């Protein structure tokens, strides 16, 4: 990167998390996340999961699942998100961590089965699908993308404080909350700016550790 996220910017608001849905082809007999984990353990290297592009968030979420539960589900990278999910429905691959927008219609039509969500909270659009943290008894399992608002380093503190407070107020509005949830995202009551910085550091450590274990550091 041509910039340093910590030196060149200041975080103003962490306002939305974008979870993924653990989906499988209906031919897979597992009806719960725990059943699927056991099913995959018994078939090392024989199952595959799709993702849009190597080292995309859905790819790393799948690798996080592999590492956390000692699985060997093979990644099949795609260039197109919709095709990567369509191929779960067709049975070309067996599993994916799917974006809500690309998968909810297929879930409702029964063409793919949702077993869990990757966030710590349930999605209002899929209230019966539990978080993986709950379903597999791993309380700290969270694999989400997130949206944050930043300003250039050196922005006067009163302006930064005003923007932080305004975003906090806007995201709390019921209409905004409803719109965010309607597209499968999770509104976040932003922590203070120092808390956002700590969250970013923790996310760098989590995802960076996975990238290094995969031997992909510096490849993108």
């Amino acid at each position: 990167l041509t910039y340093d996220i910590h030196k060149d910017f200041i975080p103003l608001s962490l306002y939305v998390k974008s979870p993924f849905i653990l989906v499988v082809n209906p031919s897979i007999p597992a009806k719960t996340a725990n059943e699927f984990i056991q099913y995959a353990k018994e078939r090392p290297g024989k199952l595959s999961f799709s993702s849009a592009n190597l080292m995309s968030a859905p790819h790393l979420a799948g690798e996080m699942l592999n590492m956390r539960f000692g699985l060997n589900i093979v990644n099949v990278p795609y260039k197109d998100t919709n095709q990567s999910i369509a191929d779960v429905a067709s049975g070309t691959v067996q599993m994916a961590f799917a974006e809500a927008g690309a998968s909810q219609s297929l879930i409702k039509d029964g063409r793919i089965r949702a077993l869990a969500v990757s966030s710590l909270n349930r999605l209002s659009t899929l209230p019966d699908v539990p978080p993986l943290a709950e379903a597999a008894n791993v309380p700290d399992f969270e694999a989400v993308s997130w949206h944050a608002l930043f300003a250039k380093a050196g922005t006067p503190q009163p302006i930064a404080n005003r923007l932080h407070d305004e975003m906090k107020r806007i995201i709390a509005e019921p209409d905004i909350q409803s719109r965010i949830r309607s597209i499968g995202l999770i509104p976040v009551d932003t922590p203070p700016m120092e808390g956002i910085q700590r969250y970013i550091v923790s996310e760098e450590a989590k995802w960076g550790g996975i990238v290094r274990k995969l031997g992909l550091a510096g490849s993108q």
Side-chain angles (χ1 to χ4, degrees):
L1 299 175
T2 58
Y3 56 86
D4 185 314
I5 190 68
H6 301 292
K7 294 179 180 178
D8 296 335
F9 298 92
I10 55 173
L12 301 175
S13 174
L14 173 67
Y15 59 93
V16 163
K17 289 186 178 180
S18 176
F20 304 105
I21 305 166
L22 172 56
V23 298
V24 297
N25 181 272
S27 66
I28 299 293
K31 299 297 191 295
T32 68
N34 266 339
E35 288 178 1
F36 177 74
I37 290 166
Q38 186 58 40
Y39 182 84
K41 278 184 177 179
E42 294 168 356
R43 294 162 178 81
K46 295 183 179 179
L47 303 180
S48 57
F49 74 95
S50 63
S51 65
N53 299 312
L54 190 68
M55 287 185 29
S56 62
H59 171 214
L60 295 182
E63 298 294 359
M64 186 175 172
L65 184 78
N66 274 336
M67 292 176 186
R68 193 62 183 270
F69 296 100
L71 308 179
N72 181 17
I73 308 174
V74 180
N75 176 238
V76 181
Y78 285 70
K79 292 183 178 180
D80 178 82
T81 297
N82 290 331
Q83 188 61 48
S84 73
I85 307 307
D87 275 11
V88 179
S90 70
T92 304
V93 292
Q94 291 76 47
M95 186 211 102
F97 274 100
E99 295 175 4
S103 61
Q104 288 189 102
S105 62
L106 292 173
I107 293 168
K108 290 176 181 176
D109 290 344
R111 296 179 61 195
I112 55 178
R113 181 185 303 131
L115 301 182
V117 295
S118 65
S119 55
L120 298 176
N121 307 101
R122 294 185 184 230
L123 293 181
S124 59
T125 51
L126 294 169
D128 296 329
V129 180
L132 187 62
E134 173 189 323
N137 195 29
V138 281
D140 62 338
F141 190 101
E142 183 188 48
V144 297
S145 295
W146 42 267
H147 300 233
L149 181 68
F150 291 83
K152 185 179 179 180
T155 298
Q157 196 62 47
I159 294 176
N161 291 341
R162 170 75 184 276
L163 291 170
H164 170 84
D165 293 346
E166 284 295 294
M167 279 296 291
K168 191 176 182 73
R169 179 187 62 78
I170 291 166
I171 296 299
E173 291 182 1
D175 182 54
I176 297 297
Q177 295 250 329
S178 178
R179 291 188 188 195
I180 290 171
R181 291 193 173 99
S182 72
I183 55 174
L185 303 177
I186 299 173
V188 175
D189 181 17
T190 185
M193 286 180 267
E194 297 80 6
I196 303 171
Q197 193 69 266
R198 287 194 295 271
Y199 180 74
I200 293 170
V201 170
S202 71
E203 287 288 276
E204 286 178 327
K206 177 170 70 181
W207 297 115
I210 291 173
V211 168
R212 287 188 290 274
K213 286 179 182 177
L214 293 172
L216 295 173
S219 64
Q220 239 184 26

